[in-house]
Amino acid sequence: LAAEGLQIVLCQPGTWESKVHYSMRFANHIAQSNYKIVFVVKEWWMEQTLLGLHHIPATTALVAVLANDEAASFELVRRAGMVWNAVVTISPRIHQKAVALLPDLGMEFIPCGIVLPTDAAVCQRRSWELPLRLLYVGRLDQLKGILLLPGIVAICRRWELPVQLTVIGDGPDRELLTDAITEQHVADLIDLRGPQLSDAVYAAMQTHHVLLMPTCSEGGLSFVLIEAQANGCVPIASRLAGSTDVAVEDGVSGHLVAVGDPVAFAQAVARLLDAGRWQAMSRAGIERARHLFSSAA
């Protein structure tokens, strides 16, 4: 962020500081800095904002950004009520819930925007070839469906589909994933790379053909799905209403399948062994991300 010319202020709580005292200090910082607009984007900061609300001047506009569909976020926004000058949601799924749960507050839906890869990078991306290179990018957490990955690869092997899988990310269930890979006897087909910086993630999307996203839960619009399409990597994702079905146009820029169904994921992989189908979807994903989900859009 500093490299982009943005000023960073770290306002961390002290070891022995009470929540109330910290909230006052946080609110005083906002008041003394004379901010015109404050965007509050996490439950933790929403709570601190509410606790220190009477210290924040009326000349500072407060904007709540609902970036997930968890009950705690809606409750904190509800508690503040008309204090918010605006409430922004980032996906249709969140927006629908927010309108139902917070009917007295005006809502503005603004989808996430991504930084597009350069035209040169997209032109140089890996073309279709075998084995088909599969990719997972994200937190290694059971809620993200990561334990389905070894099963998907095992089915592909059983069906004699030529694939290799790269996993980028880390999380609390890494060991469970490693155990599942061993149990499914697919360690030779899966490469665990750990967490990577954003440039490396984009480079991986440009050298892989398919992004697997077997998540069980996704409140917002998935950045990973949109970034994959922008880089010509065709997504296969769980179908989640108001979330993945907005990010991906099923059958055009990628495939959406039933949640928790490794066979359906493997069937979608098999369809992308057709070079013409993969190329058409790759091009469609690039155009979709560019026109709908770029930062400029």
Side-chain angles (χ1 to χ4, degrees):
L1 293 174
E4 297 293 331
L6 299 176
Q7 181 185 356
I8 312 302
V9 178
L10 296 178
C11 193
Q12 306 283 23
T15 304
W16 305 109
E17 189 173 24
S18 73
K19 182 180 290 187
V20 172
H21 185 274
Y22 173 66
S23 301
M24 295 303 102
R25 185 162 61 84
F26 166 65
N28 282 332
H29 164 73
I30 293 178
Q32 293 166 10
S33 300
N34 195 32
Y35 293 121
K36 299 304 180 188
I37 305 177
V38 174
F39 296 93
V40 187
V41 298
K42 288 286 186 181
E43 294 94 335
W44 165 255
W45 291 111
M46 285 183 185
E47 185 172 9
Q48 306 316 307
T49 304
L50 295 186
L51 287 171
L53 201 57
H54 59 282
H55 282 236
I56 298 174
T59 52
T60 297
L62 294 175
V63 180
V65 181
L66 285 167
N68 63 61
D69 60 352
E70 295 175 3
S73 298
F74 294 117
E75 175 58 19
L76 285 169
V77 171
R78 185 198 64 76
R79 278 170 51 195
M82 300 310 292
V83 160
W84 303 112
N85 296 83
V87 179
V88 174
T89 62
I90 67 165
S91 79
R93 182 188 184 94
I94 298 172
H95 192 77
Q96 291 166 5
K97 285 191 174 182
V99 169
L101 294 172
L102 307 167
D104 297 330
L105 298 181
M107 300 285 168
E108 185 78 19
F109 166 50
I110 305 175
C112 301
I114 65 162
V115 176
L116 293 174
T118 64
D119 291 340
V122 173
C123 289
Q124 293 172 8
R125 71 147 288 117
R126 185 187 295 267
S127 59
W128 184 92
E129 63 181 7
L130 297 178
L132 207 63
R133 294 166 62 88
L134 313 179
L135 177 67
Y136 171 85
V137 177
R139 183 172 168 81
L140 302 188
D141 188 316
Q142 292 189 63
L143 287 176
K144 298 298 182 181
I146 59 161
L147 299 185
L148 290 176
L149 294 172
I152 295 168
V153 174
I155 294 169
C156 288
R157 166 169 274 172
R158 195 158 62 244
W159 292 352
E160 299 184 348
L161 308 180
V163 301
Q164 292 178 336
L165 171 64
T166 299
V167 176
I168 293 178
D170 205 352
D173 295 326
R174 180 186 177 92
E175 188 173 338
L176 290 176
L177 175 61
T178 303
D179 292 343
I181 290 171
T182 301
E183 291 169 5
Q184 295 283 357
H185 307 290
V186 290
D188 58 316
L189 296 179
I190 300 180
D191 178 19
L192 300 179
R193 291 190 183 174
Q196 303 283 317
L197 296 175
S198 57
D199 287 349
V201 171
Y202 268 35
M205 289 174 172
Q206 291 157 13
T207 57
H208 287 72
H209 304 104
V210 176
L211 179 92
L212 298 180
M213 187 179 171
T215 183
C216 306
S217 174
E218 192 73 30
L221 281 180
S222 168
F223 276 103
V224 171
L225 283 182
I226 297 168
E227 289 171 339
Q229 290 173 94
N231 285 283
C233 186
V234 179
I236 302 174
S238 304
R239 184 186 297 277
L240 298 172
S243 179
T244 60
D245 64 350
V246 177
V248 177
E249 187 174 2
D250 187 26
V252 177
S253 66
H255 288 297
L256 299 176
V257 301
V259 176
D261 189 345
V263 173
F265 273 90
Q267 289 171 336
V269 170
R271 289 195 286 272
L272 293 174
L273 290 174
D274 180 302
R277 178 187 291 270
W278 178 86
Q279 289 164 353
M281 286 190 163
S282 178
R283 288 193 296 269
I286 291 170
E287 290 304 310
R288 181 175 179 78
R290 186 176 299 274
H291 288 125
L292 296 180
F293 300 115
S294 70
S295 294

